[in-house]
Amino acid sequence: MSKLKEFTASSARPLPVVLLADVSGSMSTNGKIDALNDAVQEMLESFGGEDDSRAEIHVSVVTFGKDGAKAHQPLAPAAKVQWTRMTAAGGTPMGAAFDAATGMIEDRAQIPSRAYRPTIILVSDGQPTDEWQVPLKRLLGAERASKAARFAMGIGDDADEAMLSAFLATPEARVYRAHEARQIKQFFRWVTMSVTQRSRSANPDSVIAAEPTDLDDFNF
């Protein structure tokens, strides 16, 4: 047998990104849901343009609102995602979203063992309307979900900052606040930059230590 047949090209390892998006009724005001849709689409386009032999960015969007928590965008390579815009209505079942994220990340059929460390992004403009403490505890105690890099943004003054801080569960991490639509896009550009830097790094499992002191620093 030819020696050439003993060699196989290694495929890029998945780098999963899971967005937990609040689509409660209050997100329909002041252009928030439109800004979030635009920001996610821009993030997907940036991720889809990444071409690295080590890491392929996969994205899922879990929405929580009128229809409970559901995979609005099932986990898939970013380059293959055809973005469908989200609509806003209903309450804020965030606990259900935590359980959905935990189930997805712990499921090795969806995220194989060879995948890099996941990233979870939580965006909300309000307060949970379901029981969220136990689901969050499950997420933070799960084998793989507990190791995920986590980002959180609170939109407007009604966002529950204490809960968002509990989601981060890291003293040095901070909750980012958006008081207008442009800051939602800035936050997602910063998250995009962090993830793409990881995908290009020698060790994509390492979280890039970039901590902007103010989202206004990120006027792209």
Side-chain angles (χ1 to χ4, degrees):
M1 182 174 67
S2 168
K3 289 288 185 183
L4 289 175
K5 294 184 178 178
E6 297 178 6
F7 297 93
T8 56
S10 59
S11 59
R13 294 166 57 184
L15 198 166
V17 176
V18 180
L19 169 63
L20 307 181
D22 183 345
V23 293
S24 59
S26 57
M27 285 291 292
S28 65
T29 62
N30 300 322
K32 289 181 283 189
I33 193 66
D34 288 335
L36 181 57
N37 273 305
D38 292 344
V40 173
Q41 184 164 5
E42 187 176 278
M43 179 181 74
L44 288 168
E45 290 171 356
S46 295
F47 286 165
E50 290 295 308
D51 183 17
D52 191 281
S53 60
R54 286 163 297 190
E56 181 180 51
I57 300 172
H58 292 203
V59 179
S60 175
V61 179
V62 175
T63 54
F64 51 100
K66 178 182 178 182
D67 298 324
K70 65 176 185 178
H72 177 80
Q73 168 57 55
L75 192 67
K80 297 181 179 179
V81 172
Q82 299 292 319
W83 180 237
T84 302
R85 293 178 74 82
M86 302 173 289
T87 57
T92 311
M94 197 178 296
F98 290 149
D99 276 339
T102 304
M104 182 187 307
I105 293 171
E106 298 302 312
D107 182 359
R108 282 173 168 72
Q110 294 195 67
I111 299 180
S113 298
R114 65 190 293 271
Y116 289 114
R117 181 181 181 183
T119 293
I120 310 174
I121 308 160
L122 173 61
V123 176
S124 176
D125 75 335
Q127 303 186 9
T129 53
D130 64 352
E131 202 288 314
W132 60 271
Q133 289 92 343
V134 172
L136 179 58
K137 187 176 180 179
R138 279 195 287 266
L139 187 154
L140 297 179
E143 179 184 356
R144 299 202 293 175
S146 63
K147 299 172 185 172
R150 294 188 293 276
F151 298 85
M153 165 166 266
I155 303 173
D157 295 331
D158 294 334
D160 188 337
E161 184 151 352
M163 186 283 306
L164 293 170
S165 297
F167 165 76
L168 294 174
T170 306
E172 62 272 18
R174 56 168 286 197
V175 174
Y176 294 94
R177 303 302 299 246
H179 297 282
E180 50 189 282
R182 69 179 180 86
Q183 291 174 311
I184 298 174
K185 290 187 176 182
Q186 287 174 328
F187 170 75
F188 272 86
R189 286 170 181 168
W190 178 72
V191 171
T192 300
M193 181 188 71
S194 298
V195 174
T196 54
Q197 283 184 343
R198 279 182 59 197
S199 73
R200 299 169 188 168
S201 70
N203 179 13
D205 269 334
S206 296
V207 175
I208 304 300
E211 287 291 334
T213 56
D214 192 316
L215 286 178
D216 286 336
D217 293 341
F218 288 78
N219 289 315
F220 292 80

